[in-house]
């Protein structure tokens, strides 16, 4: 992998397609385009997956709840893509059992919900991770002893998948780079350039690290900036109305012991009946999400005390004997859904009613904008968007010869190359011992495999060459210093935050959000990247500010 700095130096003067935004949507597009043999470059103003794509509920799912609003095509598309992504990234996309408790007086009877489960499995052509089943109240009590039993009629169990959204995005980008694409983080598009006819003809990119500028000519420019969509549209020209109606969703993280769930448990909020989940996450459990209109600047959203209390209220309603307190909340995260403003919306449509479907829009100046959609459907959205760009290139007479078909459904992401057919994570963890005859516990090896897939073997080689890298990043935790090296050398990390939030999940999982280790991480990154003392300090300060924003709700106490 070229480093981020090397990639900046190698930015081509001209490409077929320039992509703005390095979330999952942009990542999917650059991968699709690179695999078709197009000259493509992606620019991300912050880190890869800095926006919504590291702040989701981390599920690859069909969206069972959309059956209620008869959005069958959305569910069909999502469950089909769930299958594809499970095959592309089996190390990152893992089956997860969801328990759906049904109580007396529920809006939908147990019979109706079970029928919905059949429909859900049917839309997946019965290729769900596992077929659903229905537990009787006694079985629920055995499997989820802390869940409210009073009035419980039964609980269907169905299957979707959990993932690491930021790493899914990153691996998609790495695959694009390995196939000839260019993707640069910390590179903001400051302006669009236009030709004499007023058509968008390229982008002006700023290297956020040193302020230098580059102009890149492009035959097609794609705006894949999620919640920032309207900002880029504004660069394209003044607009009377906004394309998006962004809504905010937050999650809270607690110790597993404080909320020990074996399944992802589906909860209906006691006040507004919205669906949320309590999700098992190794040594932690997280609860989410909310859905509230947001009007501020993207990137500045945070969980308020009201948001946190809302999630705690739902949790305590369903797990009454295990009362969660505000002090149990280790961390929070908050993200914006880049939802398309419905045409018929007069402002009274509830947030959760706004469709999750994506849209591709072509401006009068030729700017292609893609917005909406889901993490789950990113690959298909990306294909559709590149198909649109190719149609435009064809009309312009700029369609390159000898394009390949791409077939992004077929090729595994980098961590899945060589992955065992039987999806045995432990088998790969054992292989690590062969590569690195060093003192790595099974827990750490398993963590590396779950994080990097087969690429964990490359990381193990780093440990073998340099044993001090075996040291934990945070004393007592499983992440090791080799992950910092790997993040910089192989995964484009360029700030402390990139490592703590998106290459590892220390930000979310550690009680102190890794603050006790930021100096150590920054010292190592300074050596690897060649930071000055000021740059090192700036990176530490930025990370501390990010942690402070995630804890801002406490100021309201
Ligand atoms: P983003 O990830 O936000 O990426 C856009 C990027 O553009 C950003 O990184 C930003 O920095 C960059 N950018 C902006 N301006 C510029 C510029 N001028 N120059 C360069 N770069 C720029 N979907 C699921 O399938 N499963 C889920 O469980 C799920 N849960 C969700 C939970 C919540 C709370 C939310 C908010 C969403 C959830 N979603 C889920 C939806 C999913 O996360 C989003 O649809 C998806 O991540 C959007 O990706 P994106 O690439 O379009 O946007």
């Amino acid at each position: 992998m070229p480093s981020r700095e090397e990639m900046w130096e190698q930015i081509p003067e001209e490409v077929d397609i320039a992509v703005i935004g390095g979330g999952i949507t942009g990542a999917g597009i650059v991968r699709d385009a690179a695999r078709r043999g197009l000259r493509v470059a992606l620019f991300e103003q912050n880190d890869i997956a800095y926006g919504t794509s590291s702040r989701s509920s981390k599920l690859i799912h069909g969206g069972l709840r959309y059956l209620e609003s008869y959005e069958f095509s959305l569910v069909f598309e999502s469950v089909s893509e769930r299958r594809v992504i499970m095959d592309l990234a089996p190390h990152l996309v893992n089956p997860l059992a969801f328990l759906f408790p049904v109580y007396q007086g529920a809006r939908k009877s147990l019979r109706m919900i079970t029928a919905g489960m059949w429909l859900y499995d049917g839309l997946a052509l019965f290729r769900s991770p596992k077929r659903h089943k229905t537990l009787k109240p006694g079985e629920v009590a055995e499997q989820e002893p802390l869940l409210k039993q009073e009035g419980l009629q039964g609980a269907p169990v169905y299957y979707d998948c959990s993932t690491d959204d930021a790493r899914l995005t990153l691996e998609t980008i790495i695959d694009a780079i390995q196939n000839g694409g260019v993707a640069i983080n910390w590179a903001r598009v400051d302006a669009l350039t236009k030709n004499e006819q007023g058509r968008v003809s390229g982008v002006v990119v700023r290297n956020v690290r040193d302020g230098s500028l580059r102009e890149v000519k492009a035959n097609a420019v794609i705006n894949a900036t999620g919640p920032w969509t309207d900002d880029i549209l504004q660069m394209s020209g003044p607009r009377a109305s906004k394309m998006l109606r962004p809504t905010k969703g937050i999650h809270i993280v607690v110790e597993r012991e404080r909320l020990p769930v074996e399944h992802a448990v589906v909860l209906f909020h006691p006040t507004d009946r919205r669906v949320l989940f309590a999700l098992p996450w190794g040594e932690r459990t997280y609860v989410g999400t909310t859905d509230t209109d947001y009007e501020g600047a993207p990137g500045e959203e945070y969980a308020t005390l009201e948001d946190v209390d809302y999630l705690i209220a739902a949790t305590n309603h369903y797990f009454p004997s295990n009362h969660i307190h505000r002090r149990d909340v280790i961390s929070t995260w908050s993200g914006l859904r880049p939802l398309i403003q419905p045409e018929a919306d007069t402002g009274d449509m509830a947030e959760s009613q706004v469709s999750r479907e994506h849209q591709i829009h072509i401006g009068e100046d030729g700017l292609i904008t893609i917005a909406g959609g889901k993490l789950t459907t990113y690959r298909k959205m990306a294909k559709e968007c590149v198909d649109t760009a190719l149609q435009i290139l064809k009309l312009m007479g700029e369609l390159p010869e000898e394009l390949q078909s791409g077939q992004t459904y077929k090729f595994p992401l980098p961590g899945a190359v060589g992955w065992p057919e039987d999806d045995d994570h432990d088998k790969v963890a054992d292989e690590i011992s062969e590569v690195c005859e060093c003192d790595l516990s099974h827990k750490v090896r398993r963590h590396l495999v779950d994080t990097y897939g087969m690429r964990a073997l490359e990381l193990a080689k780093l440990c073998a060459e340099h044993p001090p890298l075996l040291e934990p990043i945070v004393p007592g935790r499983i992440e090791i210093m080799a992950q910092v090296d790997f993040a910089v050398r192989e995964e484009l990390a360029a700030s402390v935050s990139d490592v703590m939030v998106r290459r590892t999940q220390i930000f979310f999982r550690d009680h102190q959000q890794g603050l006790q280790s930021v100096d150590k991480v920054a010292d190592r990154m300074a050596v690897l990247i060649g930071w000055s003392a000021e740059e090192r300090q700036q990176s530490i300060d930025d990370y501390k500010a990010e942690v402070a924003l995630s804890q801002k709700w406490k100021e309201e106490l």
Side-chain angles (χ1 to χ4, degrees), residues 9 52 69 165 181 197 211 244 288 317 364 372 378 420-421 473 476 535:
E9 292 308 323
T52 311
S69 45
D165 47 5
Q197 290 80 44
L244 293 192
H317 180 81
E364 280 172 16
Y378 86 93
E421 288 271 320
I473 297 177
E535 285 170 323

Side-chain angles (χ1 to χ4, degrees), residues 20-26 43-61 165 187-190 224-228 232 235 247-251 289-290 333 335-338 370-377 381:
I20 316 173
I24 193 72
T25 309
F43 304 104
E44 163 56 49
Q45 64 175 355
N46 195 292
D47 186 25
I48 304 302
Y50 158 75
T52 311
S53 301
S54 58
R55 302 157 189 249
S56 77
S57 299
K58 308 186 190 302
L59 301 175
I60 297 297
H61 64 156
D165 47 5
R188 182 171 53 235
V189 168
D190 270 359
T225 53
W228 287 263
I232 303 292
M235 282 182 196
T247 70
K248 186 183 81 169
I250 78 129
H251 293 80
T289 178
T290 58
W333 77 84
L336 299 180
R337 295 177 190 81
I370 177 163
K374 296 166 69 188
L375 192 71
T376 307
T377 49
M381 287 165 60

Side-chain angles (χ1 to χ4, degrees), residues 166-243:
R167 295 203 67 87
L168 185 66
T169 309
L170 179 69
E171 282 211 22
T172 303
I173 293 264
I174 293 174
D175 189 65
I177 294 171
Q178 289 174 347
N179 283 281
V182 170
I184 306 178
N185 51 351
W186 297 98
R188 182 171 53 235
V189 168
D190 270 359
L192 305 173
T193 54
K194 298 202 178 179
N195 64 15
E196 283 163 4
Q197 290 80 44
R199 281 192 61 81
V200 172
S201 57
V203 292
V204 179
V205 190
R206 177 182 298 274
N207 183 341
V208 178
R209 292 282 162 229
D210 63 14
S212 58
L213 291 175
R214 281 286 171 83
E215 196 176 316
V216 181
K217 288 195 195 115
N219 291 326
V221 176
I222 300 177
N223 171 13
T225 53
W228 287 263
T229 297
D230 281 304
D231 295 349
I232 303 292
L233 284 170
Q234 208 62 39
M235 282 182 196
S236 160
R239 282 172 63 90
S241 60
K242 292 196 167 175
M243 182 169 178

Side-chain angles (χ1 to χ4, degrees), residues 218-489:
N219 291 326
V221 176
I222 300 177
N223 171 13
T225 53
W228 287 263
T229 297
D230 281 304
D231 295 349
I232 303 292
L233 284 170
Q234 208 62 39
M235 282 182 196
S236 160
R239 282 172 63 90
S241 60
K242 292 196 167 175
M243 182 169 178
L244 293 192
R245 176 176 168 183
T247 70
K248 186 183 81 169
I250 78 129
H251 293 80
I252 56 173
V253 182
V254 299
E255 278 279 3
R256 182 183 150 73
E257 283 95 84
R258 292 298 294 116
L259 191 58
V261 286
E262 295 301 326
H263 305 77
V265 180
V266 181
L267 317 172
F268 285 86
H269 199 282
T271 53
D272 60 11
R273 310 305 299 159
R274 274 195 56 253
V275 179
L276 12 125
F277 303 107
L279 295 134
W281 205 30
E283 85 284 33
R284 305 284 179 252
T285 298
Y286 63 92
V287 182
T289 178
T290 58
D291 197 358
T292 50
D293 277 323
Y294 180 81
E295 286 178 357
E300 291 176 9
E301 67 277 12
Y302 62 91
T304 62
L305 181 61
E306 192 183 347
D307 295 328
V308 171
D309 282 349
Y310 173 89
L311 296 183
I312 290 178
T315 311
N316 288 340
H317 180 81
Y318 283 91
F319 300 93
S321 62
N322 212 44
H323 212 80
I324 297 283
H325 300 274
R326 290 167 176 167
R327 64 173 177 272
D328 292 315
V329 176
I330 298 171
S331 63
T332 67
W333 77 84
S334 171
L336 299 180
R337 295 177 190 81
L339 305 180
I340 310 284
Q341 172 94 50
E343 269 175 28
D345 185 11
T346 50
D348 51 4
M349 183 185 274
E351 292 93 331
S352 55
Q353 313 256 271
V354 182
S355 169
R356 269 56 182 164
E357 301 260 16
H358 70 276
Q359 252 180 37
I360 297 175
H361 168 268
I362 304 167
E364 280 172 16
D365 58 3
L367 177 70
I368 304 169
T369 295
I370 177 163
K374 296 166 69 188
L375 192 71
T376 307
T377 49
Y378 86 93
R379 192 203 61 87
K380 206 151 170 262
M381 287 165 60
K383 179 178 181 306
E384 211 180 295
C385 193
V386 176
D387 284 342
T388 306
L390 287 182
Q391 278 170 19
I392 291 178
L393 295 187
K394 196 171 171 189
L395 283 174
M396 290 165 61
E398 298 285 357
L399 192 64
E401 286 168 13
E402 292 184 28
L403 284 183
Q404 292 132 35
S405 56
Q407 299 185 319
T408 49
Y409 60 89
K410 206 161 132 183
F411 299 101
L413 292 186
V417 176
W419 186 255
E421 288 271 320
D422 58 5
D423 198 25
D424 187 346
H425 293 233
D426 284 328
K427 205 191 287 177
V428 186
D430 290 342
E431 279 184 49
I432 290 190
S433 311
E434 290 162 27
V435 175
C436 174
E437 288 173 9
C438 44
D439 193 16
L440 273 180
S441 67
H442 177 77
K443 211 169 150 191
V444 173
R445 281 184 281 125
R446 181 62 204 253
H447 153 69
L448 295 177
V449 170
D450 294 348
T451 309
Y452 302 96
M454 296 308 286
R455 293 168 75 237
L457 300 177
E458 291 167 41
L459 193 142
K461 278 186 207 148
L462 273 183
C463 299
E465 283 159 21
H466 197 48
L469 294 179
L470 293 169
E471 187 191 330
I473 297 177
V474 174
R477 288 199 51 83
I478 45 177
E479 300 85 3
I480 55 173
M481 285 302 286
Q483 293 184 254
V484 179
D485 277 46
F486 200 71
V488 173
R489 292 181 187 196

